[in-house]
Every structure is written in structure tokens, then in C-alpha cells.
Amino acid sequence: MKASRYLFPSDYMADPSAHVFEDKIYIYPSHDWESGIPENDNGDHFNMRDYHVFSMDDPEAEVVDYGVVLSTDDIPWAGRQLWDSDVAYRDGKYYMYFPLKDQNDIFRMGVAISDRPEGPFIPNANPMKGSYSIDPCVFEDNGSYYMYFGGIWGGQLQFYRDNKLTPPCELPHFHERALCPKIAKLGDDMLEFAEAPRDVLILDEQGNPLKQGDSERRFFEASWVHKYQGKYYFSYSTGDTHLLCYAVGDNPYGPFTYQGVILTPVVGWTTHHSILEFKDKWYLFYHDAMPSGGKTWLRSMKMVELEYDEEGAIKTIAGQ
Ligand code: FUB
């Protein structure tokens, strides 16, 4: 396995969502910067205000930066904090999905559209109806597009039950079922959900849903889905235990059964990734905070080859 590679040493970029469009690798990261907001459990220090897009002709190639492609200044409903985004292609258009706090400090998902994978992206005037929380991942399967999303703590997933904002907004107790990431099929216009978001169940080896106290396996944030040898791989971050792990299922809705760790903790509090196949090899895109000396709000994006064993298990990668 080759060593991991920092992709863009001249600026701080995190949460890289990578896709192959037009035979190139396109990367859609969050754009970290030093805004001076103190670090807290709410994630206020992740105070991002724009996105760049990057491309590479192949995994060894130079990384091309297309500059700012969407900014909070362009989004009529913007409050603060542009977090992890994702992009999907359908019928000649590229759709960027992004979480952003509205003017009431509640995360919603926005959509912005471009004719080109490198943008610029023009945002819709309003957030998606019924959207909430963070970290959208859009996955296409047999012509249908699904959004996975959610994140606890600063990602506000604990504010909701049955897709409704439900005070007092608490996490489940230790022995209760963990909060699930969500999935919703997108409508044909790609602009709204075509159904109410449903739970994505992650099961243990006995077939029981993971519990909130199972903090090294339960979902925290950073959903990603890919398909390998006919199986659906749902991968995610465990947040406060700093692991990237994965679970496998037979269809996009799951349930998914927990399998193991993809990436051990990196330098910095967060860990967030995407997984991509390019020319018969697989790659993990992720970030760490090594170049900033561990400042978790100043992260740098990286990539490394990802390998499977003969049974389709992902071989664990060392984060440090
Ligand atoms: O980049 C801001 C947030 O940090 C992301 O949305 C989370 O997944 C975590 O990486």
C-alpha cells in the first residue's frame, strides 16, 4: 500500500467528498479557516463560509483548485457554518448539497446547481423542505438517488424524533438504541426529498441495533455509501471515539451490519471521509490536523489507497 498523500498543502480543507466525473476525480471539501471562534462541543469553531472544488486527472496527478464556487454571501437563507457537502450528477447538471445553519441557528440542507462539475454552483432560494442536521451524502443506485445525512452533538440530530424538532433535544441514554443516520430518496428534480427521511439501522453481529453507549461503533456523523461486489457499504465516523468504521447491507436502505474500523484516529478531533473507485483501485479521502499542529478546526485533506480482503472486508488503515 502506498503512503497517504496531502492533497492541498497551501490551504485548510476537510471532509473531502470525492467522485469521478468526466473521467477525472473531483473533490468537494469543507473550507476551514481561522475565524477566531473558541472551540466548544457545539462545533462553533467550524465556522466555514465558502467551498472550493478540486480535480485530479488521476491519483498521482497535480491537484487543480477552481477557487470559491459557493459562498454564504450567495445563499439568501444563510446564517452560519457551511459544513460537509456532497455533489451528484444527473441529466447534464451537477447538484451540490450542503448543510448550513439558517438565521435561527438550525441546520438545514441547501441545494446549488451547476452545468459543470467544477462549478460555480448557484443556490436555490430556500433550503430543502423537511431537511435537517448535517453531512449529506448522495448515492445513486439503479437510477435512483438517495441522500444519507445526520450528525449528533453540534450536528443537531438529537433535536429530532420522527423528523420533527422535539425539545428537550436529548441524546438517548447509554442502554437505549443509538440515534440512526437518515436516508431519503430524492425527487426526480433532485431538489427535494421524495419521501420522509427514514432511519438507517446499524446492527451488531447478533442483529440488534447498536446502543448509544457503544461509542466505538455507534453512528456520530459523516455518512458515506459505496457499493462493492454487489454489497452496500455504509461508512461513518464515531465522533468522540474518533474512528471511521463501516457496516454492510443488501440494499440502500439497510439494515447494515457493523463490520469494523476503516481508519484509526487521526490528529485532530474529527474524522471524515469518502471512498472512491478509480481505474479498478479504491481510495479513501479523509483529513487530519497534523499540518496545523493539531488545531481541529484547521484540517488538511489527504488520500490513501484502500484495500479489501478476499471476503470483502476493508483492511484497517492507520490514521497516524
Ligand atoms: O467540518 C465540519 C464538521 O466536522 C463536519 O460536517 C463533520 O462531519 C466534522 O468533520
Side-chain angles (χ1 to χ4, degrees):
M1 187 183 288
K2 294 214 178 94
S4 61
R5 171 184 177 195
Y6 281 106
L7 293 171
F8 195 65
S10 60
D11 202 352
Y12 296 113
M13 302 282 162
D15 312 324
S17 298
H19 291 277
V20 178
F21 295 133
E22 300 181 344
D23 298 325
K24 283 194 216 180
I25 299 171
Y26 280 87
I27 310 165
Y28 302 92
S30 308
H31 184 192
D32 286 356
W33 68 295
E34 181 57 85
S35 72
I37 306 273
E39 193 172 351
N40 61 25
D41 283 351
N42 208 28
D44 287 344
H45 46 299
F46 298 114
N47 192 27
M48 296 84 99
R49 55 194 176 167
D50 61 34
Y51 294 117
H52 286 225
V53 173
F54 299 86
S55 77
M56 308 160 77
D57 287 347
D58 63 62
E60 317 293 332
E62 182 197 356
V63 174
V64 177
D65 174 17
Y66 296 93
V68 174
V69 298
L70 179 65
S71 146
T72 46
D73 296 341
D74 309 324
I75 303 169
W77 55 275
R80 60 182 180 137
Q81 296 182 293
L82 275 175
W83 285 11
D84 159 65
S85 68
D86 197 15
V87 170
Y89 171 79
R90 184 171 189 169
D91 299 335
K93 300 263 184 227
Y94 295 84
Y95 297 87
M96 174 180 271
Y97 299 90
F98 58 88
L100 173 68
K101 282 182 180 161
D102 65 14
Q103 287 153 12
N104 297 314
D105 234 24
I106 295 293
F107 271 116
R108 310 288 307 274
M109 300 294 177
V111 191
I113 304 163
S114 178
D115 294 330
R116 298 285 315 147
E118 70 272 20
F121 289 87
I122 309 300
N124 273 359
N126 294 298
M128 295 171 73
K129 292 184 205 81
S131 66
Y132 57 93
S133 198
I134 59 164
D135 290 359
C137 156
V138 175
F139 171 72
E140 185 268 331
D141 192 49
N142 296 322
S144 294
Y145 291 75
Y146 303 89
M147 182 188 288
Y148 299 80
F149 65 92
I152 61 175
W153 293 25
Q156 302 183 342
L157 187 61
Q158 70 279 7
F159 289 9
Y160 296 83
R161 297 293 186 275
D162 297 325
N163 299 319
K164 290 188 190 65
L165 197 60
T166 313
C169 308
E170 282 171 4
L171 283 166
H173 294 295
F174 192 87
H175 293 295
E176 293 175 340
R177 200 181 93 172
L179 285 184
C180 293
K182 305 292 172 187
I183 177 173
K185 195 171 180 175
L186 295 174
D188 288 342
D189 65 3
M190 300 290 277
L191 302 180
E192 301 288 350
F193 295 148
E195 61 184 1
R198 312 181 195 182
D199 282 351
V200 175
L201 266 183
I202 306 174
L203 308 177
D204 66 15
E205 53 287 358
Q206 268 89 45
N208 299 313
L210 295 181
K211 301 262 173 42
Q212 188 62 28
D214 192 351
S215 61
E216 297 214 338
R217 299 195 296 176
R218 63 94 176 89
F219 174 81
F220 191 104
E221 62 187 4
S223 299
W224 188 259
V225 175
H226 73 278
K227 216 169 162 180
Y228 179 73
Q229 296 186 340
K231 295 277 188 195
Y232 297 79
Y233 285 58
F234 178 81
S235 48
Y236 57 98
S237 165
T238 62
D240 56 344
T241 53
H242 318 291
L243 299 166
L244 283 182
C245 41
Y246 74 106
V248 169
D250 294 323
N251 72 81
Y253 287 102
F256 296 90
T257 302
Y258 178 86
Q259 303 293 318
V261 171
I262 298 173
L263 182 71
T264 63
V266 295
V267 173
W269 198 94
T270 69
T271 186
H272 190 133
H273 69 301
S274 60
I275 293 170
L276 173 87
E277 184 180 19
F278 187 78
K279 296 191 178 158
D280 299 328
K281 288 191 168 188
W282 287 84
Y283 299 92
L284 178 74
F285 289 75
Y286 64 110
H287 65 232
D288 69 26
M290 185 99 87
S292 70
K295 292 193 178 95
T296 204
W297 61 96
L298 296 178
R299 300 161 291 178
S300 295
M301 60 175 175
K302 303 177 84 171
M303 71 183 289
V304 68
E305 195 173 336
L306 175 142
E307 294 176 328
Y308 303 85
D309 72 12
E310 306 77 57
E311 271 83 52
I314 294 175
K315 295 185 183 172
T316 303
I317 297 166
Q320 292 182 45

